[in-house]
Amino acid sequence: MNSVQRKRVHLSTVLVVLMLASVLVLLNVTGRLDTAPVDDDYCTVVKRGWPLSYHYTVYHRTGRYTGVRWYYGSLAKDIALAVVVLGAEGAAWEWLMRMRDRRAHGA
């Protein structure tokens, strides 16, 4: 094998990283419902973000809409965690594929 071929990334690595990225995006954009008491009324809180919630929407039982709150620091931490997880997973998968190739070629 020449040096150009060794620096290529396996297609399976790209596919596995892409699948994990789609799971992380789905976890971050799917809303989780929670009920919380506010004064003498209960309201529904929709939280978005994983593992930290960066987006809150509050709806009261009486139909009143309180609004949306964004936490950009939590969003930045969620993005940083996703980048670290994807990088580590990609490096580990690529290492496994290269070990498999070495065994298959008898090196």
Side-chain angles (χ1 to χ4, degrees):
M1 268 188 196
N2 61 23
S3 63
V4 174
Q5 289 176 335
R6 288 187 184 151
K7 293 187 180 192
R8 290 185 182 170
V9 176
H10 288 85
L11 178 61
S12 63
T13 303
V14 173
L15 293 175
V16 169
V17 169
L18 183 64
M19 285 188 292
L20 181 61
S22 64
V23 169
L24 290 174
V25 167
L26 183 66
L27 284 172
N28 271 298
V29 298
T30 304
R32 297 179 315 275
L33 297 176
D34 193 16
T35 304
V38 175
D39 298 329
D40 59 347
D41 188 20
Y42 279 91
C43 62
T44 301
V45 180
V46 180
K47 299 177 184 178
R48 288 183 173 80
W50 180 87
L52 301 173
S53 296
Y54 63 86
H55 183 265
Y56 292 86
T57 308
V58 179
Y59 299 97
H60 289 273
R61 190 174 51 175
T62 58
R64 200 178 57 187
Y65 170 71
T66 301
V68 175
R69 296 194 79 182
W70 284 84
Y71 296 96
Y72 295 107
S74 296
L75 178 61
K77 290 174 187 174
D78 285 347
I79 292 171
L81 178 67
V83 168
V84 168
V85 166
L86 291 173
E89 189 273 334
W93 188 268
E94 187 63 23
W95 179 77
L96 287 172
M97 291 295 105
R98 289 177 192 231
M99 292 296 287
R100 185 193 65 153
D101 288 347
R102 280 192 204 128
R103 260 186 258 142
H105 291 69

